[in-house]
């Protein structure tokens, strides 16, 4: 199949909820983050509703719009600037076109009719349909379209346009007015139902607008370029096979490629239409133009017939919109005429991942116990799952073979079903520690279920150099005389070093005045989420002010001491093996897969530094108490060949985590193109039995001149709690020399489960920018054995109030 040869993996969304809009053509769509917003179009009447589709939850909803609600229209201009949308022109009823301009503030679903000033050197745009309306910076560019020269809407006299206008926008809301730019070069010929996109190369800062195809009595496939800085039109020379002439197609920019899909194409390459029943048809062809090299690449040909329903069918007048690197296509007419004026419209929604997903953020620790971790990482847009891997420092012998039955399943993961793994095996005696019972809402059904077929082959391994920098600032040190704390770190003459997921550079910033701080509450057993619900009428994401996690190390005792917490951020080495890997996720997100994605090459160094699959997770969190083992014969990566069979992972042995053991973690996102690059490496340590657990339910409450920090005792104190310690990350010159080390000052030690943080202490706080700006606190409990793991709370700060980076 040509699509498979081109590496395409179209997915049809087969199940969604909410009020699904009726099928149509001539509609338009834009994306605001994960939301598709669709307006207008026609099918037995022109639609006037605004429909929204949440690509994360697969939900349609109708927002409650208000204000100057525009009439329904089709073949209109539709652009998005942040969270505002502009609508210009279009057909409002048969034969009657519009030149009205409307603005939608999507954060409030508020419509407003705007009246731009007329250009100083001419008339404003006339009513039209089928024009292009493109945004770059604070300006929209209008080109061409079709006007009706007759005053009688029933007596249509078409006039193809090639006029060019510039619309200047005000910041946030409103417009300034129209202008008619003075351009150089030859203007493109008149046309309608063409496409126009704007692209700016990263290495060359001159933005270009590209116009392709359209209709002017015959269909076109010419390409025009406008240098927006010099306002110069030109016809760029292209390489490759130019797509057939077409109109009512779509064009979208993702990366440096302009993807062109569908439209009306002539049956013959001449393109002349002599009668209403002329030789033309809808197409499902798919191509892209490399905008850096101006080379056309065909992905699905015009003559290709797809009988397997693995590709979107032929269509025209559909909508296409890019969400990140994913291209969505919805509805349109399919060209199979019941009558000349009654087209059959498609009802399907498709998407295509055009690139592998980006690397997720480092894995973060929410909570550690003696035999499990509760982990999270930042979401990656438009992915179908995440592959989580671990590496254990403890060397383990390989498994001689896999028993066919009788495999014990004793952990949280084992009850969730089979997951992927491909790494070399380890065999450890089972440790009968009890399972941790976690109340974590995002853990339910997170693992990809058994009916999802996962095939991962080869054995990948990474060797990284451990670097734990000793603190250079003068601190009060406590000699612990080779006593191992709850995480097994032995301290002699230095403060505790705690691995923490802080991979990116941290920049010192001033917290600002205390009135910038808000009252917040956080439960460290719950991961942080900030998404747009389909039932919300606000597009803007809800602000999340706190994040929490549990560290895996102890804190020092002295009240005046500073403690550094190190982050093991190990970039992959440059030596690579080329494993043969296939991952097929079946019907994830209610979609159909037409191609198995490929695992990227994994770094390889020595045999004993091997990565093991924990599983493939649907969400960006996981409870880890086991990982998978492979038999000895699969350990040699050179023995695997492309497309080789892999064992049934449901029959693989699962290895429990050990207490007091250091584990490294990395995670990669998966989409229709395969598995993306892995994140930077994070390192955590399971707790040692007998030490107290981490405090929970941390609350931060603002007062006039201070804040109140409170928490709940550990769920598992393992004896009597003797004291608590609270720490604040502070500014330090050491952060400038080694941004991966946070420096903490103890601000409280005592039996109470609350303390006051003064304005003076907050004025010295470090603002951590590893993800979102935050002030970092840590709280730990001590029993007769010593200090247990600390709960870390990231108190999110407003960028405006927390200072600049």
């Amino acid at each position: 199949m040509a699509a498979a040869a081109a590496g395409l993996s179209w997915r049809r969304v087969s199940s969604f909820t909410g009020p699904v809009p009726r099928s149509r053509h001539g509609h338009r769509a834009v994306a605001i983050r994960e939301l598709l917003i669709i307006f207008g179009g026609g099918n037995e009447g022109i639609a006037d509703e605004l429909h929204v589709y949440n690509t994360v939850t697969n939900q349609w909803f109708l927002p409650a719009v208000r204000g100057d609600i525009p009439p329904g229209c089709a073949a209109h201009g539709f652009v998005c600037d942040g969270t505002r949308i502009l609508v210009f022109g279009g057909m409002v009823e048969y034969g009657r076109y519009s030149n009205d301009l409307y603005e939608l503030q999507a954060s409030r679903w508020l419509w407003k009719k705007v009246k731009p000033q007329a250009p100083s050197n001419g008339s404003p745009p006339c009513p039209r349909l089928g024009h292009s309306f493109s945004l770059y910076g604070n300006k929209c560019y209008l080109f061409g379209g079709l006007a009706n020269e007759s005053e009688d809407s029933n007596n249509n006299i078409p006039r193809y346009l090639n006029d060019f206008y510039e619309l200047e926008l005000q910041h946030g809301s409103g417009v300034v007015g129209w202008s008619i730019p003075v351009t150089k070069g030859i203007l493109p010929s008149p046309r309608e139902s063409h496409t126009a996109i704007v692209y700016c190369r990263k290495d060359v800062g001159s933005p270009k607008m590209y116009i392709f195809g359209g209709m002017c009595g015959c269909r076109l496939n010419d390409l025009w370029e406008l240098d927006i800085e010099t306002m110069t039109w030109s016809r760029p020379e292209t390489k490759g096979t130019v797509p057939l002439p077409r109109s009512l197609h779509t064009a979208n920019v993702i990366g440096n490629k302009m993807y062109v899909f569908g439209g009306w194409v002539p049956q013959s390459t001449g393109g002349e239409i002599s009668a209403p029943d002329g030789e033309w048809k809808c197409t499902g062809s798919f191509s892209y133009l490399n905008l850096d090299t101006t080379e056309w690449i065909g992905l699905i040909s015009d003559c290709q017939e797809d009988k397997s329903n693995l590709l979107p069918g032929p269509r025209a007048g559909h909508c296409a919109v890019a969400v990140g690197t994913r291209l969505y296509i919805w509805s349109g007419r399919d060209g199979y005429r019941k009558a000349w004026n009654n087209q059959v419209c498609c009802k399907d929604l498709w998407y295509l991942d055009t690139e592998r997903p980006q690397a997720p953020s480092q894995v973060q620790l929410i909570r550690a116990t003696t035999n499990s971790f509760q982990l999270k990482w930042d979401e990656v847009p438009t992915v179908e799952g995440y592959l989580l891997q671990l590496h254990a420092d403890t060397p383990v012998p390989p498994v001689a073979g896999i028993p066919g039955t009788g495999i014990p399943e004793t952990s949280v993961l084992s009850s969730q079903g089979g997951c992927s793994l491909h790494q070399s095996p380890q065999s450890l005696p089972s440790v009968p520690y009890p399972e941790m019972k976690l109340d974590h809402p995002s853990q339910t059904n997170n693992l990809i279920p058994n009916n999802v077929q996962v095939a991962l082959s080869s054995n990948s391994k990474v060797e990284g150099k451990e670097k734990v920098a000793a603190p250079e600032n003068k601190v009060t040190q406590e000699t612990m005389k080779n006593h191992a704390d709850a995480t097994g770190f032995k301290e002699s003459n230095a403060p505790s070093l705690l691995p923490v997921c802080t991979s990116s550079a941290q920049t010192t910033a001033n917290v600002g005045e205390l009135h910038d701080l808000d009252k917040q509450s956080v439960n460290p057993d719950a991961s942080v989420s900030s998404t747009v619900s389909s039932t919300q009428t606000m597009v803007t994401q809800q602000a999340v002010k706190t994040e929490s996690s549990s560290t895996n190390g102890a804190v020092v005792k002295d009240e005046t001491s500073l403690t550094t917490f190190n982050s093991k951020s190990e970039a992959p080495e440059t030596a690579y093996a080329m494993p043969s890997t296939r991952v097929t996720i079946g019907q994830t997100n209610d979609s159909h897969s037409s191609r198995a994605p490929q695992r990227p090459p994994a770094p390889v160094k020595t045999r004993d530094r091997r990565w093991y699959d924990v599983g493939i997770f649907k969400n960006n969190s996981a409870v880890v108490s086991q990982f998978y083992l492979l038999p000895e014969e699969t350990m040699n990566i050179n023995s695997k060949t492309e497309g080789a069979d892999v064992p049934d992972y449901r029959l693989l042995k699962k290895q429990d985590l050990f207490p007091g053991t250091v584990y490294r973690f990395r995670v990669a996102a998966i989409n229709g193109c395969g598995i993306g690059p892995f994140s930077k490496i994070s390192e955590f340590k399971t707790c040692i039995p007998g030490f107290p657990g981490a405090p929970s339910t941390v609350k931060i409450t603002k007062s006039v001149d201070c804040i109140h920090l409170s928490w709940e005792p550990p769920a598992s104190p393992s004896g009597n709690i003797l004291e608590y310690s609270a720490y604040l990350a502070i500014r330090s010159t050491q952060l400038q020399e080694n941004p991966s080390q946070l420096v903490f000052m103890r601000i409280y030690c005592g039996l109470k489960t609350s303390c006051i943080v003064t304005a003076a202490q907050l004025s010295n706080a470090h603002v951590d920018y590893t993800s979102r700006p935050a002030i970092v606190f840590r709280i730990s409990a001590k029993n007769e054995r010593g200090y247990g793991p600390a709960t870390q709370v990231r108190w999110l700060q407003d960028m405006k109030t927390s200072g600049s980076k």
Side-chain angles (χ1 to χ4, degrees), residues 556-713:
V556 296
K557 177 181 178 181
D558 199 303
E559 193 165 322
T560 60
S561 66
L562 304 178
T563 305
T564 58
F565 299 85
N566 184 66
S567 172
K568 299 286 185 65
S569 301
E570 300 176 6
E573 298 288 344
T574 56
Y576 285 89
M578 298 298 292
S580 159
T581 313
R582 299 169 302 162
V583 181
T584 301
I585 301 182
Q587 299 188 17
T588 302
N589 293 335
D590 296 314
S591 309
H592 298 293
S593 171
S594 61
R595 188 181 66 87
Q598 300 284 318
R599 182 194 294 273
V604 171
K605 272 295 182 89
T606 58
R607 182 184 176 107
D608 62 336
R609 301 188 69 82
R610 192 169 282 113
W611 289 90
Y612 299 84
D613 285 9
V614 177
I616 294 180
F617 294 84
K618 185 176 181 180
N619 300 318
N620 61 322
S621 59
V623 175
V624 180
S625 60
Q626 290 184 329
F627 55 92
Y628 285 90
L629 304 178
L630 281 179
E632 187 174 13
E633 56 266 23
T634 64
M635 292 182 63
N636 185 359
I637 63 172
N638 296 322
S639 67
K640 302 302 292 182
T641 59
E642 185 69 29
D645 292 333
V646 294
D648 186 346
Y649 292 101
R650 291 172 296 181
L651 300 179
L652 291 180
K653 276 193 173 181
K654 303 181 183 75
Q655 177 59 59
D656 291 331
L657 301 188
F658 272 111
T661 303
V662 175
Y663 293 93
R664 295 189 179 108
F665 287 92
R666 65 182 187 180
V667 65
I670 305 170
N671 67 10
C673 288
I675 302 176
F678 280 95
S679 66
K680 292 183 178 180
I681 297 169
S682 301
E683 185 174 289
F684 309 117
K685 196 170 188 178
T686 49
C687 301
I688 295 177
F691 288 83
S696 62
T697 320
V698 180
K699 294 181 181 179
I700 300 174
T701 307
K702 172 188 169 183
S703 294
V704 177
D705 56 352
C706 64
I707 65 169
H708 294 267
L709 193 63
S710 63
W711 56 90
E712 296 292 334

Side-chain angles (χ1 to χ4, degrees), residues 235-500:
R235 288 283 307 272
E237 294 184 4
T238 62
K239 299 182 286 289
T241 302
V242 180
L244 285 179
R246 67 193 59 216
S247 63
L248 289 172
H249 54 287
T250 53
N252 302 83
V253 176
I254 299 177
N256 66 342
K257 299 178 180 65
M258 179 179 77
Y259 290 91
V260 176
F261 179 83
W264 290 112
V265 298
Q267 292 277 21
S268 62
T269 56
E272 294 294 335
I273 299 175
S274 57
D277 292 320
E279 296 181 357
W280 46 276
K281 63 175 184 177
C282 280
T283 181
S285 61
F286 187 46
S287 305
Y288 72 78
L289 175 69
N290 185 314
L291 296 168
D292 293 336
T293 63
T294 62
E295 179 179 8
W296 284 104
I297 303 294
L299 300 175
I300 303 174
S301 67
D302 292 274
C303 60
Q304 180 180 340
E305 293 291 334
D306 178 48
K307 303 297 185 181
S308 60
N309 293 322
L310 296 179
L311 298 173
R315 68 195 65 208
H318 54 283
C319 70
V321 62
V323 179
T325 59
R326 177 176 287 181
L327 181 66
Y328 281 86
I329 290 175
W330 181 70
S331 200
R333 52 183 174 177
D334 63 12
Y336 296 103
R337 297 189 290 264
K338 292 185 295 185
W340 170 247
N341 61 350
N342 190 6
Q343 301 293 319
V344 177
C345 290
C346 308
K347 300 178 180 180
D348 47 356
L349 174 65
W350 293 80
Y351 69 83
L352 172 72
D353 288 312
T354 61
E355 299 175 8
R356 294 183 190 272
Q358 65 189 27
S361 64
Q362 271 186 294
V363 177
Q364 302 171 36
L365 179 65
I366 295 175
R367 184 175 181 178
T369 68
T370 56
N371 64 341
S372 67
F373 296 110
Q374 190 175 355
L375 307 175
K376 69 180 286 286
W377 51 90
D378 289 346
E379 287 185 348
V380 178
T382 63
V383 299
E384 298 171 0
Y386 301 89
L387 171 64
L388 180 64
Q389 293 184 330
L390 67 74
H391 171 269
D393 276 354
T394 306
V396 182
V399 177
I402 300 177
T405 58
I407 299 172
E409 297 191 358
T410 58
S411 74
V412 174
L413 290 185
S414 64
S415 62
Q416 300 283 342
C419 291
S420 73
L421 101 154
H422 70 288
Q423 306 302 342
S424 55
Q426 294 182 353
S427 178
L428 293 175
S430 177
V431 180
Y433 290 107
E435 275 187 25
M436 176 180 62
K437 301 298 183 182
L438 292 178
D439 181 17
H440 192 275
S442 63
Q443 297 306 318
T444 305
N445 298 326
N446 190 17
L447 270 174
I448 301 298
N450 279 334
N451 61 354
V452 175
Q453 298 178 358
V454 181
L456 301 176
S457 61
S458 87
N459 295 278
S460 306
K461 44 196 175 181
V462 170
E463 180 177 32
K465 297 180 179 179
E466 298 182 23
K467 294 182 180 180
V468 181
E472 298 180 5
N473 58 308
K474 295 184 181 298
V475 297
T476 302
Q477 300 172 347
E478 178 186 13
T479 302
M480 302 184 71
K481 297 181 181 179
N482 295 327
H483 170 68
D485 60 31
T487 60
F489 282 103
K490 293 184 177 181
E491 301 295 341
S492 56
N493 294 319
S496 299
L497 301 176
L498 299 188
V500 181

Side-chain angles (χ1 to χ4, degrees), residues 361-366 376-378 499-507 509 511 517-530 543-551 565 567 684 695 697-701 707 709-710 727-729 735 739-740 742 744 762 765-779 790-799 802 805:
S361 64
Q362 271 186 294
V363 177
Q364 302 171 36
L365 179 65
I366 295 175
K376 69 180 286 286
W377 51 90
D378 289 346
V500 181
C501 296
T502 52
S503 59
S504 56
Q506 300 167 358
T507 308
V511 176
L517 306 177
D518 300 323
K519 175 180 177 179
Q520 299 299 335
S521 174
V522 65
N523 183 349
D525 288 344
S527 62
V528 178
S529 62
S530 178
V544 178
K545 292 294 185 179
T546 55
E547 292 178 339
S548 66
S549 62
S550 172
T551 66
F565 299 85
S567 172
F684 309 117
T697 320
V698 180
K699 294 181 181 179
I700 300 174
T701 307
I707 65 169
L709 193 63
S710 63
Y727 284 80
L728 170 68
L735 279 169
S740 65
L742 288 177
F744 283 79
L762 286 171
H766 165 69
V767 179
D768 177 26
Y769 283 91
T770 51
S771 55
R772 288 168 285 183
I775 295 174
V776 181
F777 294 97
R778 287 185 177 172
I779 306 164
T791 295
Q792 175 171 299
V793 179
R794 301 186 76 253
W795 186 17
L796 299 187
Q797 303 293 299
D798 191 306
M799 291 287 288
S802 58
K805 261 187 159 181

